């Protein structure tokens, strides 16, 4: 029997903490290190910070290099941030240390449309290291790209794909509730949204993966965001939002081929939404309608990242996307 | 640009004919030959037999060897029959001619549980030939195995999987309507069913794939079949069934691990059923419920077989299953 896969978790926010708890449950994985830039976490026992219920004798370091001085690992679970310019130095540093990477960074999930040069650089670094990099999550990484593409397996012809994802943000982590604008005025929301770095990240990555995989040319891409407003006082453990303020957002993305709209992605996440539900509608031959319930983003993203570890370890070196791997399942 | 992939279709019943029509629509595929044992088809133009709307200048042969004497091909779309003892010599003959195979033979989709020795023989022949063999279809091959396993990607824990497939057989091909017992008396149905070679084939294959992929030991497997009876006269283009006679069947399969029932597969196909629907229920963390509409078995099976061609051509040699390949999509 092979030894356990040794895992370092880089980024111990809510997703990284959820990943850590799952790694601890899996008999084939061993948590060997944790990194976070938050001074409130550095120096603490990782078991305490991720609320695993016990100390693990592993001290959180503020830099990856400090972990590597003390321990060896096979894979880094990278859960730091969504944005290419912020995570690229982290990915390159991990590659220099020759470890596989499973990341939840949205912009890395399918960077070939929006960041082809940076993607090429990471791909080259991974191949040089002989290691693999995959970014995944429920969305992007599954619900609006890999899953609808998987469903086209049973289609003779596809004319249009629509995915609608409705998430009740009251069930989500605090940073997610913040990211969708909870508590803001409409003006604050619009200003913050115009400044970037707010809202759901991933619609353009999913669009890129769908078009590229199906061999279609993306001739136009449109996206828009609207706030969802509280009709009455809404409370969560993290926010208390009076009527008229923002409780979430609606985002829509449309991808056009030279024959018109081919892909429509709709994402709504708001506090106090009714039941979570996702719908995938594929028009063609046949017409398919698929609905999903229970795909909570935090649970699903931590699960798919951990479940991906063995597939990534077995894959050829380079920057991978979900379309390059056999299906991910519990492993 | 590479040349077109040259395809021979082996078995020109309704599925093979549907496959042929789809091959003709795809610009990257070229239909170069057809084989069928039916004397009524041998010697006829394949375009006429598959109802493509025109003659194609390709004469159907009664044996594969007769096609190979006249033409070269890259892949054989194998759509002859469901049963290992019947299709094995066909698969081995194709391997000797060094062509990749995409088959719709149910028992070949995941043979490692029920036919491990024969599977090993085919795997060895494929590796010797440097070619790949995949059997797929909507069920087995997708709906009750690959798709539920794909969905577990977003699960932290899986305790139980249930799949329910309801097909309105009035929308299906004639041989399918016959296979589910249409027009029989209950006595005829039970006698025929006891003799084997009737009913839906694939539940044990799907069970094998799910258990094997998740690393679970199948300690018990139970299956049962019941007829569905007409409450009034039911008519299709192929059958006219009076009240009290059989219009279809219900099949159930249960797979048990040492911790109890883990997998429950339910398949109902009957004439005049209400709307087709499939439901996948995964119990664990999270609980997932997925419903699908539009997965007509004939359309879906011909599509997934043709869509699999490029993935199979790119795969490593050997006997593959759906869990070995990246997701299949239109290609």
């Amino acid at each position: 029997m092979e030894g356990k896969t040794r895992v370092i978790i880089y980024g111990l926010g809510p997703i990284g903490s959820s990943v850590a708890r799952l790694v601890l449950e899996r008999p084939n994985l061993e948590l060997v290190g944790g990194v976070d830039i938050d001074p409130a976490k550095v120096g603490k026992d990782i078991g305490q910070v991720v609320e695993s219920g016990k100390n693990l004798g592993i001290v959180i370091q503020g830099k990856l290099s400090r972990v590597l001085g003390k321990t060896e690992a096979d894979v880094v679970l990278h859960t730091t941030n969504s944005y290419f310019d912020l995570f690229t130095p982290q990915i390159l540093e991990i590659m220099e240390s020759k470890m596989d990477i499973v990341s939840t960074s949205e912009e890395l999930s399918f960077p070939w449309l929006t960041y082809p040069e940076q993607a090429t650089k990471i791909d080259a670094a991974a191949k040089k290291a002989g290691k693999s990099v995959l970014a995944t999550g429920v969305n992007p990484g599954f619900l609006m790209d890999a899953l609808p593409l998987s469903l086209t397996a049973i289609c003779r012809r596809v004319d249009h794909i629509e995915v609608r994802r409705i998430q009740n943000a009251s069930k989500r982590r605090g940073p997610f509730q913040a990211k969708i604008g909870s508590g803001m005025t409409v003006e604050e929301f619009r200003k913050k949204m115009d400044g970037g770095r707010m809202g759901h990240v991933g619609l353009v990555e999913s669009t890129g993966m769908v078009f590229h995989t199906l061999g279609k040319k993306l001739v136009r891409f449109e996206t828009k965001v609207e706030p969802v407003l509280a009709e009455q006082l809404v409370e969560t453990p993290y926010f208390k939002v009076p009527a008229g303020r923002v409780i979430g957002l609606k985002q829509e993305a449309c991808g056009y081929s030279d024959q018109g709209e081919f892909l429509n992605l709709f994402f709504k996440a708001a506090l106090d939404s009714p039941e979570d539900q996702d719908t995938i509608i594929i028009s063609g031959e046949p017409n398919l309608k698929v609905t999903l319930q229970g795909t909570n983003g935090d649970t699903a993203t931590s699960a798919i990242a951990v479940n991906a570890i063995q597939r990534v370890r077995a894959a050829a070196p380079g920057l991978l996307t979900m379309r390059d791997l056999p299906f991910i399942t519990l492993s």
Side-chain angles (χ1 to χ4, degrees), chain A residues 12 34-36 41-46 49-50 58-62:
Chain A
L12 289 160
V35 184
D36 201 285
K41 291 174 186 168
V42 175
K44 288 200 176 141
D45 189 281
I46 193 171
V49 168
V50 308
I58 301 168
V59 174
I60 296 172
Q61 305 293 337

Side-chain angles (χ1 to χ4, degrees), chain A residues 24-159:
Chain A
L24 292 170
E25 287 174 20
R26 295 282 169 93
N28 59 341
L29 302 178
E30 183 182 3
L31 183 59
V32 298
V35 184
D36 201 285
I37 53 168
D38 181 354
K41 291 174 186 168
V42 175
K44 288 200 176 141
D45 189 281
I46 193 171
Q48 188 192 326
V49 168
V50 308
E51 295 175 2
S52 73
K54 58 176 180 183
N55 279 357
L56 299 167
I58 301 168
V59 174
I60 296 172
Q61 305 293 337
K63 289 184 174 181
L64 181 66
S65 56
R66 298 232 174 114
V67 177
L68 296 176
K70 297 176 201 303
T71 186
E72 289 193 344
D74 303 298
V75 61
V76 175
L77 249 307
H78 173 264
T79 52
T80 62
N81 67 71
S82 310
Y83 302 104
F84 233 97
D85 53 338
L86 299 180
F87 63 66
T88 297
Q90 300 168 347
I91 300 293
L92 294 176
E93 185 190 4
I94 301 167
M95 278 299 120
E96 279 177 21
S97 306
K98 298 198 193 309
M99 293 179 283
D100 290 313
I101 299 175
V102 179
S103 172
T104 57
S105 293
E106 290 91 337
E107 289 189 352
L108 191 59
S109 66
F110 193 87
W112 299 104
L113 183 72
T114 318
Y115 300 93
E117 283 177 33
Q118 293 95 318
T120 302
K121 196 173 165 185
I122 289 175
D123 185 51
K127 284 176 175 153
K128 190 180 163 201
K131 294 295 168 181
S132 307
V133 187
L134 172 77
T136 188
V138 69
N139 176 31
F142 191 70
L143 205 92
M144 290 189 171
D145 38 50
L147 182 60
L149 284 167
S150 302
L151 291 166
T152 68
I154 58 169
C155 295
R156 293 169 70 94
R157 197 187 75 243
V158 175
D159 302 323

